[in-house]
Amino acid sequence: MRAINRAAVLRALKDLGSVSRAGIARHSGMSQVTVGSIVADLLDRELLVEGDEAPSNGGRPSRLLLLNAAAYAAVGLKLTEDHVVGAITDLEANVTLEATRPLTGRTPEAVADLIAETVTGLLKESGTDRHRLLGVGVGMAGVVDGTEGVCRHSPFLRWRDVPIGALVGDRVQVPVLVENDVNTLALAERWFGAGRGERDFLLVTVGRGVGLGIVADGSLYRGAGGAGEFGHTVVDGSTRVCTCGRTGCLETIVGEAGLIAAAREVGNGRRPRRPRDLGDLYLAVEDDPDLRNVVEDAGRALGRGIANLVNLFAPRLVIVSGEVLHVSSVLVESATAAIDDHVFPGLEGSFEVVAEPLPESAWARGAASLVLSEIFETPTRTQLDLLSALGAGGGA
Ligand SMILES: [Zn+2]
């Protein structure tokens, strides 16, 4: 019960910024006595600090309370097929230090070793005491069972049912949370980004794959596990074989490989235009009408897909992000036009679409947010573990 009350106090501070004890009581519905006792405990643990005097309404003067973001740290890691990107953050998901390391092997044990080494390196180089580490978050593409910490299927690493959370946990000795990488980004947006304060929003990422994070009624929507495989929804107009082994997937048109393949197929007979990567395409697309058509087609396919999502979920906000966005503003423009063309008339004007750049470090920050979001969420078993780890380690 005390852990639940602690979470409610932290949540009030997250929602309100600086606030008095009375303000927390009003926001959380707890009695002032309970709030006073929980706040004393959190001050002892250095999770809170006292700031200026709160405006008085005649009673005893009290000080405003603030979250002490620097008191504890989280490490997030994004796992790709050939490297791992790590970041250490404070409690507000501000990145203190980043690190990138190449994968030395793809067996679960080799990857767990590399993750543990990266965590140790980040703690050491940032001068963070290990007792200050709340937990480690791991984000990866594919189907991930976050509750069990098991990677059910990773297309890039060719894993099936790998208990990566337990393997890393044995090595780092703090709670380890594992989640689909797009879901970790959605959590980062929910608590620390554009989705802050939004109860219903979608995050669409377009890079090597096409991903979707769904925040519904304030929480990440996972379905029975693995929800959000937007890239593998079936669309007209593609005969290319997808990474999933099937044909007709949206990803084969909009994903990096599909886009490059389509760009390499066009030519005007006079000069071969065969872009090798997104950088080449970026340079060529502005003054090459054929390539511009390819990008516009991809944008339209993406926009039709997003319109379908809007019709299904009625979000307030759609965040579009990912490496492919950097190819050209043409992609986002044609996607936006297609969204407008295909959204159900009753939903027009009820949502906003924003395009956001996505540096690779954002994925690692997202994985750290997986740990941080647990502090402010309705308590789960993981949160109780995290909070008891806090009691054992830092603070008083
Ligand atoms: Zn597919």
Side-chain angles (χ1 to χ4, degrees):
M1 192 62 207
R2 199 164 171 81
I4 293 171
N5 289 340
R6 256 185 230 150
V9 169
L10 290 169
R11 175 69 179 268
L13 278 149
K14 181 92 186 86
D15 289 347
L16 303 172
S18 66
V19 62
S20 67
R21 286 165 178 79
I24 295 173
R26 273 196 301 277
H27 187 77
S28 64
M30 287 188 285
S31 76
Q32 291 222 35
V33 174
T34 307
V35 169
S37 149
I38 299 290
V39 163
D41 178 47
L42 293 174
L43 283 167
D44 266 357
R45 292 166 193 266
E46 297 173 28
L47 265 165
L48 306 186
V49 285
E50 285 188 302
D52 295 338
E53 209 158 274
S56 169
N57 53 3
R60 204 151 50 93
S62 68
R63 298 210 163 267
L64 289 172
L65 297 158
L66 297 150
L67 197 62
N68 182 16
Y72 292 92
V75 169
L77 302 114
K78 151 96 172 189
L79 201 49
T80 77
E81 63 180 331
D82 55 13
H83 64 280
V84 60
V85 190
I88 187 162
T89 75
D90 68 11
L91 291 178
E92 291 276 13
N94 300 303
V95 174
T96 315
L97 187 69
E98 294 165 28
T100 302
R101 292 179 181 224
L103 243 57
T104 44
R106 288 186 189 174
T107 63
E109 289 74 19
V111 171
D113 284 343
L114 179 70
I115 288 175
E117 284 165 32
T118 310
V119 172
T120 303
L122 283 165
L123 287 171
K124 204 173 156 194
E125 283 163 45
S126 66
T128 309
D129 187 332
R130 193 171 269 271
H131 292 313
R132 298 274 165 188
L133 179 62
L134 267 184
V136 171
V138 179
M140 58 190 300
V143 178
V144 177
D145 177 343
T147 313
E148 298 295 327
V150 172
C151 169
R152 294 287 171 217
H153 174 55
S154 161
F156 300 150
L157 294 168
R158 299 183 195 286
W159 287 358
R160 283 265 182 196
D161 298 323
V162 170
I164 186 66
L167 290 170
V168 176
D170 286 347
R171 288 160 173 80
V172 296
Q173 300 295 317
V174 290
V176 176
L177 304 174
V178 189
E179 186 52 80
N180 169 273
D181 52 0
V182 182
N183 282 349
T184 71
L185 270 188
L187 279 175
E189 295 290 355
R190 160 85 178 91
W191 291 104
F192 310 104
R196 208 169 171 158
E198 292 289 354
R199 294 195 66 76
D200 298 282
F201 74 90
L202 303 174
L203 168 72
V204 174
T205 59
V206 193
R208 184 169 167 174
V210 177
L212 170 67
I214 305 158
V215 172
D217 205 17
S219 298
L220 196 58
Y221 178 78
R222 297 179 173 90
E229 289 299 339
F230 178 44
H232 304 283
T233 50
V234 182
V235 294
D236 280 343
S238 176
T239 52
R240 273 186 219 101
V241 178
C242 183
T243 52
C244 71
R246 295 173 173 83
T247 52
C249 296
L250 177 64
E251 193 164 300
T252 64
I253 300 175
V254 191
E256 181 176 346
L259 198 57
I260 298 296
R264 287 169 66 90
E265 281 162 17
V266 301
N268 63 4
R270 281 180 285 117
R271 56 190 169 95
R273 278 163 300 188
R274 299 178 68 79
R276 285 158 306 171
D277 55 28
L278 289 178
D280 287 351
L281 198 53
Y282 173 78
L283 291 174
V285 81
E286 290 305 323
D287 35 52
D288 187 323
D290 293 337
L291 289 184
R292 191 184 169 93
N293 280 341
V294 168
V295 174
E296 278 178 350
D297 283 349
R300 272 191 289 274
L302 177 64
R304 284 193 294 267
I306 292 175
N308 287 337
L309 295 177
V310 170
N311 292 344
L312 287 169
F313 292 101
R316 295 279 300 224
L317 173 69
V318 181
I319 304 166
V320 186
S321 193
E323 298 81 357
V324 164
L325 253 61
H326 300 301
V327 163
S328 165
S329 57
V330 169
L331 185 99
V332 174
E333 283 158 20
S334 60
T336 307
I339 294 170
D340 291 344
D341 286 347
H342 293 281
V343 159
F344 183 66
L347 295 172
E348 279 168 357
S350 66
F351 65 98
E352 194 188 345
V353 180
V354 295
E356 270 195 355
L358 183 64
E360 200 172 26
S361 62
W363 291 102
R365 179 175 178 266
S369 304
L370 185 58
V371 174
L372 300 173
S373 64
E374 288 283 338
I375 301 172
F376 308 109
E377 289 274 10
T378 313
T380 61
R381 218 197 67 206
T382 314
Q383 189 190 14
L384 298 179
D385 288 350
L386 285 169
L387 288 165
S388 67
L390 270 183

